């Protein structure tokens, strides 16, 4: 954690099975699927550049050796979940010794962004006096490749409640201390969000741009069209 309370580490989630990608992930993990000629993991790491120096942790599971080889020699720490996939909550808890104390950024690796840098937007809006988690959200019309009615309702002060409305982007700042009290080994960060929300410390900020969930093959051309237009600034 930096002196002003902003994170000094980021967890990039890259351990998913990528089943919705079909044959594209038969011999490689989803973060190695290319968009615009580059693997998704490289697009995710690009977003961290303006925040360096930053401790960057990437977890791996499915075809993890492919991702390990790709990241060799780069300023990245690996959290190995080869033996068991731990989901977002369990994966973040396993990586805590690598991330260090205090709040952390977390970022899904299977997305392409346009508009302002999402991690910088989170850093600007983060208020540790009021917040234990700050989620980056989008209006449904700006969430490309995404299906569903949204995840959260945003109050005027930024507090979040569950319900159809804005879509969670997979980027956030979160204080992970509460993970230690969750008994499950593999679990979603939704469990920690519920506890934080019960303390009125779950907040959101709306991204001023677009986002593409690259979870299926048909999302790749959508994401590539974004790269050719209004990419991250």
């Amino acid at each position: 954690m930096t002196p002003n309370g902003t994170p000094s580490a980021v967890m990039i989630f890259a351990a998913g099975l990528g089943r919705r990608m079909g044959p594209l992930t038969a011999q490689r993990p989803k973060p190695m699927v290319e968009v615009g000629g580059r693997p998704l993991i490289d697009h995710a790491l690009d977003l961290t550049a303006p925040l360096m120096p930053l401790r960057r942790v990437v977890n791996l599971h499915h075809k993890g050796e492919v991702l390990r080889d790709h990241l060799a020699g780069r300023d990245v720490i690996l959290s190995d979940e080869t033996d068991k996939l731990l989901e977002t909550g369990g994966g973040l808890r396993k990586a805590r010794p690598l991330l260090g104390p205090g709040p952390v950024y977390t970022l899904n690796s299977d997305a392409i962004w346009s508009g302002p840098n999402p991690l910088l937007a989170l850093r600007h809006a983060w208020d540790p006096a009021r917040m234990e988690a700050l989620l980056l959200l989008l209006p449904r019309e700006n969430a490309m490749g995404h299906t569903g009615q949204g995840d959260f309702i945003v109050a005027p002060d930024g507090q979040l409640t569950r319900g159809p409305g804005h879509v969670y982007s997979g980027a956030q700042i979160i204080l992970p201390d509460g993970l230690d009290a969750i008994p499950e080994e593999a679990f979603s960060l939704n469990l920690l969000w519920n506890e934080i929300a019960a303390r009125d410390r779950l907040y959101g900020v709306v991204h001023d741009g677009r986002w593409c969930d690259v979870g299926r093959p048909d999302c790749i051309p959508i994401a590539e069209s974004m790269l050719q237009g209004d990419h991250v600034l």
Side-chain angles (χ1 to χ4, degrees), residues 173-184:
I173 293 175
I174 190 165
L175 187 66
D177 297 8
L179 293 171
D180 293 337
I182 295 174
E184 291 86 353

Side-chain angles (χ1 to χ4, degrees), residues 152-193:
F152 293 98
I153 299 167
V154 187
D157 67 351
Q159 279 202 54
L160 300 183
T161 54
R162 300 278 187 174
H166 284 75
V167 174
Y168 173 55
S169 68
Q172 67 173 332
I173 293 175
I174 190 165
L175 187 66
D177 297 8
L179 293 171
D180 293 337
I182 295 174
E184 291 86 353
E185 183 180 8
F187 59 93
S188 166
L189 277 172
N190 276 288
L191 296 183
L192 183 56
W193 289 343

